[in-house]
Amino acid sequence: MDSLWEQARLEIRAGLQVALTSLSVDMALERIEVTPPTEEGHGDWVTNLAFRLTKRLAGSPPNIAARLAEHFPQLPLVQRIEVAGPGFINFWVDSQWLAQVLVEAVNNPQGFGRRPPIGERVLLEFVSANPTGPLVVVNGRAAAWGDSLARLLTMAGYSVDREFYVNDAGMQVVKLGQAMAIRLDELRGSPLPEVWPEGVYPAEYVRDLAQAYAASHSQWEALVEDVTAWPELGAWAAEILRAQQEKELERFGVRFDRWFSEKSLRDAKRPDAVVQQLESLDLLYDQEGARWFRSTQFGDQKDYVVVKSDGGYTYIVPDAAYHVEKFQRGYDHVIDLLGPDHHGHLSRMRAIMAGLGYRAETLEILIIQMVRLLRGGQPVKMSKRGGTFVTLAELMDEVEVDPARWFFVERSSDTPMDFDLDLAQLKTQENPVYYVQYAGARIHSILQTYEARFAEDPEPFDSLKLVEPLEQALIRDVAKMPSVILRAAEQRAPQALCRYLTEIATHFHAFYRQHRIMEEAPSLRRARIELIRAVLIALSQAMEVIGVSVPERM
RNA sequence: GUCCCCGUAGCUCAGAGGAUAGAGCGCGGGACUUCUAAUCCCGGCGUCGCAGGUUCGAAUCCUGCCGGGGACACCA
């Protein structure tokens, strides 16, 4: 069942087809464009049909538009039709017809804007930070944005699984183990190396991990000089770090359905199967002692190594095996959110999956771009290599979860963003999060007063009382909400919700200052109560999607 | 050098091929005896980076150029 707002669009489109028929023009419904106006005052829905018919019908666009309007059938939901500008036809949806949406929302708050299950399964993989250190700010962006996308797709009727891919095998875990060994040695009183080995981070948190390890393992001193112990030490530390990441994400309001271990994939020999399949498809060749994949056959810039000269696999092999595994689990859509450092990985991943016979459209790869933190207008240093990176935990210590999540979701994911720490902490007009939350708090406050005074209001709801421009604007905002959700889901654009929320909050605040509720006559009071109840529902549902709370008091 | 993203108001950014390109912030005025002033109202002279092209119509699509950011390992 389409939302009322969408229903209006479809009926207008059908009406246009009827008008076309009376002008002896055949046109398929899907080819008739009915779009939102670009500007206020141009109605609720607009068609450009007249421009597109200049070759099939004699006359100028305004003339054709006028004839179409004339033959447009009477529809109860169309209040007004206007031929405007150089040939547009603007349609106003009848406010009374539209006001049904208020009752609909109030009768089913949780279901409002939610499309019934459409039977499609989505696997969304995001964050997937290496378990070799704490989460950093850009992981927070991925977490907030990815979680919102998951909520958005759920609202749009998809069945969504959130997954975190844990790189708990391979070289970086061995390096972590080596760092552990160095730190354990430090515990025995040895000096730290003057130059750390290539790829081994001198990070402080490893010292804490080493202490914890020593405290729980009696034989630890024997491992210090044992190179073969690095993988095990690394795996131990990686699991601790992974568990910390899970906790931090939970604090950030993000939970995963599955933490998928790369090690389990390797243990099951899935990467071997990928290489064998590529071999059997004759897509590998030898060069300089390594096995290369012919990725240029699949649109990549250059071929690349899959089996190193030492016999080990490069990163792409287990990752490809992981994606094969995902598809085998039967998902209709597989979506990856990759970090900014994976930019170059994208074309390789697409190439190898194409090589393995998967259609390009089924795998969507989105890039989460980097985050620059600003304090006092100046960038805060956050280079992971320099060791001065800002962690997600540090960010959460400074900024509350609600504004942090809002800020991350507000911007499209594929462009670098500045995160203004000062602004995020401001609890004033400059901060859009509180602006929207404040609208919710005001509604709660009115509803509490109302329910205390009129627990049993005998007055029936009469939408005819809602005639003020701001009331009608709010009815439209409520009615549009399901369409906003569906469109944002299709576009993978949760940021659209932030814009919607700001708009409905703006209309509400203006309404609030201009009109009263409790002092009005019973019938008007009742109508406005129904209106703001529905506004609160639409607002809360949209806030739910971006993972930001709606406090009852502020 | 190749590939990806981005150039729109002083700043941060919206913009579904359409009408006179919009918001917020900042700045200047004004509004609470009232259901929350974390609010509202008024104030906008922009080469939509540049040049071509497609189109009845381009900030939007295509090509080239200029500027900014990022990615281009037998690391993950």
Side-chain angles (χ1 to χ4, degrees):
Chain A
M1 187 61 195
D2 290 304
S3 67
L4 277 181
W5 194 247
E6 181 63 14
Q7 207 178 312
R9 188 179 82 87
L10 296 177
E11 292 202 23
I12 288 166
R13 200 173 66 170
L16 283 166
Q17 197 183 38
V18 170
L20 284 169
T21 307
S22 22
L23 295 176
S24 314
V25 177
D26 266 338
M27 194 181 278
L29 268 182
E30 314 78 63
R31 296 203 47 233
I32 302 174
E33 286 179 37
V34 177
T35 56
T38 46
E39 227 175 300
E40 254 178 85
H42 293 162
D44 295 318
W45 292 106
V46 180
T47 187
N48 61 359
L49 210 45
F51 299 102
R52 296 176 40 216
L53 289 172
T54 48
K55 281 178 189 149
R56 297 172 69 175
L57 289 174
S60 63
N63 178 275
I64 295 169
R67 278 148 66 201
L68 280 170
E70 198 180 311
H71 288 90
F72 192 85
Q74 286 284 329
L75 295 176
L77 59 85
V78 173
Q79 188 191 35
R80 188 151 80 86
I81 303 177
E82 177 193 76
V83 174
F88 298 99
I89 309 173
N90 298 335
F91 295 87
W92 275 261
V93 177
D94 185 76
S95 298
Q96 295 314 311
W97 180 82
L98 208 51
Q100 299 171 76
V101 80
L102 305 180
V103 180
E104 195 183 291
V106 170
N107 286 344
N108 183 12
Q110 296 297 313
F112 187 65
R114 189 179 296 275
R115 182 162 63 171
I118 58 170
E120 289 189 31
R121 297 177 64 212
V122 179
L123 181 64
L124 180 61
E125 181 210 330
F126 59 113
V127 184
S128 297
N130 278 337
T132 52
L135 295 172
V136 295
V137 168
V138 72
N139 297 135
R141 182 179 190 185
W145 202 90
D147 187 51
S148 292
L149 181 59
R151 290 161 183 247
L152 182 56
L153 292 170
T154 305
M155 281 286 276
Y158 295 89
S159 163
V160 183
D161 286 329
R162 297 165 171 80
E163 196 153 300
F164 189 120
Y165 182 51
V166 186
N167 296 121
D168 56 358
M171 193 51 76
Q172 81 283 3
V173 172
V174 178
K175 298 281 187 196
L176 178 64
Q178 189 178 355
M180 285 287 287
I182 290 169
R183 289 296 183 179
L184 285 171
D185 198 23
E186 185 189 13
L187 285 181
R188 294 198 311 180
S190 305
L192 288 173
E194 281 182 24
V195 179
W196 285 69
E198 178 70 28
V200 179
Y201 292 149
E204 296 284 323
Y205 57 80
V206 183
R207 181 186 288 143
D208 302 335
L209 287 168
Q211 269 165 7
Y213 187 87
S216 58
H217 295 74
S218 51
Q219 304 295 314
W220 65 273
E221 293 198 49
L223 298 178
V224 171
E225 270 142 46
D226 182 4
V227 172
T228 63
W230 291 351
E232 194 196 315
L233 278 174
W236 184 87
E239 176 47 30
I240 304 275
L241 287 165
R242 190 210 61 79
Q244 269 176 21
Q245 293 180 350
E246 186 169 5
K247 243 187 218 164
E248 279 170 29
L249 287 166
E250 208 149 299
R251 183 177 162 205
F252 204 49
V254 180
R255 283 215 183 92
F256 286 86
D257 298 296
R258 188 163 181 179
W259 294 72
F260 195 99
S261 157
E262 178 186 348
K263 187 168 179 301
S264 72
L265 204 63
R266 291 190 186 235
D267 290 347
K269 307 282 184 209
R270 305 291 298 236
D272 301 343
V274 165
V275 173
Q276 278 159 24
Q277 192 182 343
L278 292 172
E279 293 281 9
S280 70
L281 292 166
D282 199 23
L283 293 172
L284 302 183
Y285 62 93
D286 272 316
Q287 192 179 308
E288 297 160 13
R291 294 293 281 169
W292 295 68
F293 170 55
R294 298 180 196 280
S295 52
T296 42
Q297 282 189 12
F298 302 95
D300 203 1
Q301 292 302 303
K302 50 187 173 188
D303 291 348
Y304 58 88
V305 171
V306 290
V307 187
K308 298 184 277 186
S309 48
D310 69 5
Y313 296 138
T314 55
Y315 170 70
I316 191 81
V317 177
D319 207 10
Y322 175 41
H323 282 81
V324 168
E325 206 272 351
K326 286 182 186 175
F327 281 114
Q328 285 174 349
R329 277 189 262 157
Y331 289 101
D332 302 292
H333 306 269
V334 171
I335 307 178
D336 294 354
L337 297 194
L338 299 184
D341 52 332
H342 284 67
H343 213 119
H345 185 58
L346 205 144
S347 53
R348 265 180 269 165
M349 195 62 220
R350 290 206 174 116
I352 200 165
M353 293 312 286
L356 291 169
Y358 293 90
R359 284 177 312 137
E361 317 85 76
T362 49
L363 176 63
E364 284 177 53
I365 305 179
L366 307 173
I367 297 284
I368 297 281
Q369 283 292 1
M370 42 185 275
V371 179
R372 206 164 57 130
L373 281 179
L374 295 183
R375 193 196 308 276
Q378 294 301 311
V380 179
K381 279 221 167 180
M382 49 191 287
S383 136
K384 195 168 186 172
R385 288 189 183 281
T388 57
F389 58 87
V390 178
T391 64
L392 178 59
E394 287 168 313
L395 180 74
M396 283 190 284
D397 289 341
E398 200 165 326
V399 178
E400 285 173 37
V401 171
D402 280 342
R405 289 191 62 145
W406 175 285
F407 274 60
F408 284 135
V409 174
E410 192 185 22
R411 301 248 184 288
S412 127
S413 64
D414 60 3
T415 178
M417 73 172 282
D418 287 339
F419 189 105
D420 189 331
L421 283 168
D422 306 311
L423 177 58
Q425 288 169 89
L426 275 183
K427 296 207 171 178
T428 63
Q429 49 186 19
E430 292 141 57
N431 197 329
V433 193
Y434 298 119
Y435 182 81
V436 175
Q437 288 185 328
Y438 189 49
R442 277 178 151 176
I443 297 175
H444 273 292
S445 172
I446 300 168
L447 291 178
Q448 271 167 19
T449 310
Y450 172 76
E451 271 144 29
R453 275 201 243 162
F454 304 97
E456 313 255 321
D457 193 344
E459 202 64 41
F461 167 59
D462 177 9
S463 62
L464 284 169
K465 300 289 172 193
L466 301 173
V467 296
E468 297 291 340
L470 284 168
E471 291 168 339
Q472 306 220 336
L474 284 170
I475 292 171
R476 279 166 173 72
D477 289 334
V478 173
K480 279 177 196 171
M481 192 271 200
S483 304
V484 171
I485 296 277
L486 288 186
R487 182 174 163 76
E490 267 168 37
Q491 311 258 317
R492 317 286 189 244
Q495 63 271 21
L497 276 289
C498 292
R499 250 173 281 137
Y500 169 78
L501 282 162
T502 305
E503 186 182 322
I504 194 172
T506 299
H507 286 150
F508 174 75
H509 284 308
F511 165 79
Y512 180 91
R513 294 294 296 180
Q514 200 170 322
H515 303 291
R516 307 259 85 205
I517 294 177
M518 297 309 295
E519 292 84 4
E520 298 292 350
S523 57
L524 180 57
R525 183 183 63 216
R526 177 74 178 86
R528 286 186 174 163
I529 286 290
E530 205 71 1
L531 174 66
I532 66 167
R533 272 185 179 149
V535 167
L536 179 61
I537 288 160
L539 184 145
S540 301
Q541 292 287 87
M543 288 286 258
E544 174 79 25
V545 170
I546 61 170
V548 178
S549 68
V550 184
E552 294 193 11
R553 296 183 170 284
M554 285 176 74

